[in-house]
Amino acid sequence: MTETTTGAWDEARCDGTPEDARNRRRFAVWCLAWAAAFVAATLLLDGGVVPPGAATWVVAVAPSLIGLAAIRSYVTFVRGADELVRRIQLESLAWGFGAGVLFQMGYRLLERAGAPTLDLNDGLLVMVVVWAAAQLAITRRYR
Amino acid sequence: MTNRLRVLRAERGWSQADLAGHLGVSRQTVNAIETGKYDPSLPLAFRLSAVFGLPIEAIFEPGEGPDGVVPARA
């Protein structure tokens, strides 16, 4: 039975402590920045707007630098997180990573059996979607 | 592992949020421990011991854990 309470701690019941919620938001902002940079770089490179040479490489590498900052913010979030939140993240990552690898390897066999050929990014998508879904499911389990 | 967290907290008139504040964890963590869904880490068990002023074994009792693991006895 869940006790209802009021205040900042109750508000944060799904996000861990208020500090966890702040770190999670910071991570989300970095992820959005990375996604925006990735889309922008793709459009620039595909559109032939960037002059050939060093500029092309700068545009291609820039999103990954933002991605590194996103990884760093996630590590900061996990390191400082409430221990239950850390547990939820660990289990979610295990599901996400496992599903991604399984899909990537398993689908190679399905392709040989006649399934349509998929892009390498599809395995990464499975990884991220399962990681996100597992967070929701596991958080609910501990509620 | 079973625990007396709910009883000890009620004796002091604390809400889950109050206890979470004392421990520096989320209310969700306190709730998960109370309902037996989550066994706390050793550092958190020591913090609980300090907050209630009781030895750990007066708060927790060994038994089947949330993962279905029964601790070995010496």
Side-chain angles (χ1 to χ4, degrees), chain A residues 7 37 50 59 64 75 100 110 112 120 122 129-130:
Chain A
V50 187
V59 170
S64 295
V75 171
L110 292 179
R112 283 174 173 79
L120 175 72
D122 294 327
V129 168
V130 172

Side-chain angles (χ1 to χ4, degrees), chain A residues 41-120:
Chain A
T42 304
L43 291 174
L44 287 172
L45 292 171
D46 286 352
V49 180
V50 187
T56 305
W57 291 102
V58 170
V59 170
V61 168
S64 295
L65 296 177
I66 298 173
L68 278 176
I71 292 172
R72 191 161 179 262
S73 72
Y74 181 70
V75 171
T76 302
F77 160 62
V78 171
R79 276 187 183 157
D82 170 74
E83 64 178 58
L84 182 60
V85 171
R86 244 187 347 246
R87 170 75 169 260
I88 291 167
Q89 286 300 316
L90 179 67
E91 289 185 30
S92 306
L93 285 168
W95 278 107
F97 180 78
V101 170
L102 193 68
F103 178 84
Q104 200 71 36
M105 302 300 285
Y107 203 81
R108 296 289 85 85
L109 291 177
L110 292 179
E111 280 177 348
R112 283 174 173 79
T117 306
L118 290 181
D119 193 88
L120 175 72

Side-chain angles (χ1 to χ4, degrees), chain B residues 51-71:
Chain B
V51 164
F52 288 123
L54 293 168
I56 288 176
E57 56 268 32
I59 304 172
F60 296 98
E61 273 186 24
E64 191 171 307
D67 300 325
V69 178
V70 180

